[in-house]
């Protein structure tokens, strides 16, 4: 879980940084999207790097879901009889929502790819003009799309907050002091990521980016 999660967190930060380019200018954003398709050339043919990255991401997502399933089955086997009394509050809200949170994030990714990668659900849907797709997507009259993205990004943030903390534990963090530090780092990284992601749809909806 930890190794595949770290790959996905790496992607999330790189993707957030790329999205923020929209504040520099629409052409810069399109130029960046075009560059994504030409990384590695002329050593590799066009879009090869992009496809290598996509396959890497798919493998990481598959490994992450597979590990989650194995752990769930193992936990159920370890405790086949339900607790007679189970205290309601166990760990943070993020910790208690990891499984369903993960499912919501997965559904969001499927919608998001159909929206901004293939353009199927986007009012413009032109892959050569990603900035036009983003502007049309989060236009003021489509406030409900912005709201849906906001809820999904917050779900990503909650998932990440507990995920980063758990990864630190898996990778050997043991002490009480280390636990507090890991919790603080996980919170700060998740908040940075959520704010970076939310800034783009909101800036378009309120007309800051046109
Ligand atoms: C909320 C703000 C977000 C915006 C404005 C945004 C924007 C975009 C755009 C424009 C693309 C298409 C890039 C291209 O084809 O040139 C894209 C692709 C993608 N985004 Fe996002 N994104 C956001 C959030 C997220 C989040 C939270 C995730 C993950 C949980 C995510 C995962 C992906 C993935 C997996 C792709 C496909 C990459 C590919 O294979 O081409 N995005 N995004």
């Amino acid at each position: 879980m930890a190794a595949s999660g770290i790959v996905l967190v790496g992607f999330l930060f790189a993707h957030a940084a790329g999205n923020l380019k929209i504040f520099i200018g629409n052409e810069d954003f399109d130029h960046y999207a075009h560059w994504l398709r030409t990384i590695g050339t002329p050593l590799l043919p066009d879009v090869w790097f992009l496809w290598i990255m996509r396959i890497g991401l798919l493998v990481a997502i598959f490994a992450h879901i597979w590990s989650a399933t194995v752990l769930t089955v193992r936990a159920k086997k370890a405790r086949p009889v339900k607790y007679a009394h189970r205290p309601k509050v166990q760990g943070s809200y993020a910790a208690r929502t990891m499984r369903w949170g993960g499912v919501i994030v997965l559904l969001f990714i499927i919608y998001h790819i159909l929206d901004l990668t293939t353009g199927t659900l986007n009012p413009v849907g032109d892959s050569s003009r990603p900035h036009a797709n983003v502007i049309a997507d989060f236009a003021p009259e489509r406030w409900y799309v912005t709201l849906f993205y906001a809820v999904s990004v917050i779900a990503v943030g909650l998932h990440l907050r507990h995920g980063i903390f758990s990864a630190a534990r898996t990778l050997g963090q043991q002490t009480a002091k280390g636990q507090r530090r890991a919790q603080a780092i996980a919170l700060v990284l998740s908040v940075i990521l959520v704010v970076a992601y939310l800034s783009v749809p909101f800036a378009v909806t309120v007309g800051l980016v046109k």
Side-chain angles (χ1 to χ4, degrees):
M1 291 247 58
S4 53
I6 288 169
V7 171
L8 296 170
V9 171
F11 165 78
L12 279 174
F13 274 95
H15 186 35
N19 285 349
L20 292 178
K21 273 198 157 275
I22 207 157
F23 291 106
I24 301 176
N26 290 339
E27 279 104 67
D28 291 86
F29 190 68
D30 279 356
H31 183 255
Y32 160 73
H34 176 71
W35 171 76
L36 280 180
R37 288 159 177 76
T38 56
I39 304 175
T41 55
L43 185 64
L44 296 171
D46 258 12
V47 300
W48 269 48
F49 177 85
L50 189 63
W51 276 105
I52 293 170
M53 189 196 78
R54 284 172 173 165
I55 292 166
L57 273 179
L58 270 179
V59 170
I61 290 175
F62 178 78
H64 207 65
I65 296 173
W66 182 72
S67 316
T69 313
V70 170
L71 285 177
T72 305
V73 170
R74 203 183 286 169
K76 284 225 165 94
K77 267 199 191 142
R79 181 77 216 190
V81 181
K82 281 202 170 172
Y83 287 100
H85 171 71
R86 201 173 185 191
K88 266 211 162 144
V89 181
Q90 291 181 50
S92 69
Y93 179 76
R96 283 178 287 121
T97 52
M98 283 313 266
R99 280 178 204 144
W100 281 109
V103 173
I104 292 170
V105 172
L106 184 67
L107 292 176
F108 163 72
I109 294 174
I110 295 169
Y111 173 85
H112 181 53
I113 288 177
L114 289 172
D115 177 16
L116 286 170
T117 300
T118 65
T120 321
L121 300 175
N122 189 277
V124 172
D126 179 350
S127 62
S128 66
R129 295 189 304 140
H131 91 267
N133 297 337
V134 171
I135 306 285
D137 214 13
F138 305 120
E141 63 278 13
R142 281 168 55 90
W143 57 269
Y144 50 89
V145 175
T146 301
L147 187 67
F148 169 65
Y149 266 76
V151 170
S152 308
V153 164
I154 290 170
V156 172
L158 286 172
H159 196 77
L160 221 70
R161 182 181 153 209
H162 185 69
I164 295 174
F165 168 69
S166 307
R169 169 144 300 176
T170 306
L171 298 176
Q173 181 288 117
Q174 298 275 344
T175 62
K177 192 177 163 202
Q179 175 161 335
R180 281 196 299 276
R181 199 179 296 156
Q183 261 162 347
I185 292 172
L187 179 66
V188 170
L189 289 180
S190 311
V191 170
I192 291 175
L193 207 78
V194 168
V195 171
Y197 275 121
L198 289 184
S199 66
V200 178
F202 276 111
V204 176
T205 305
V206 301
L208 226 92
V209 172
K210 293 189 171 94

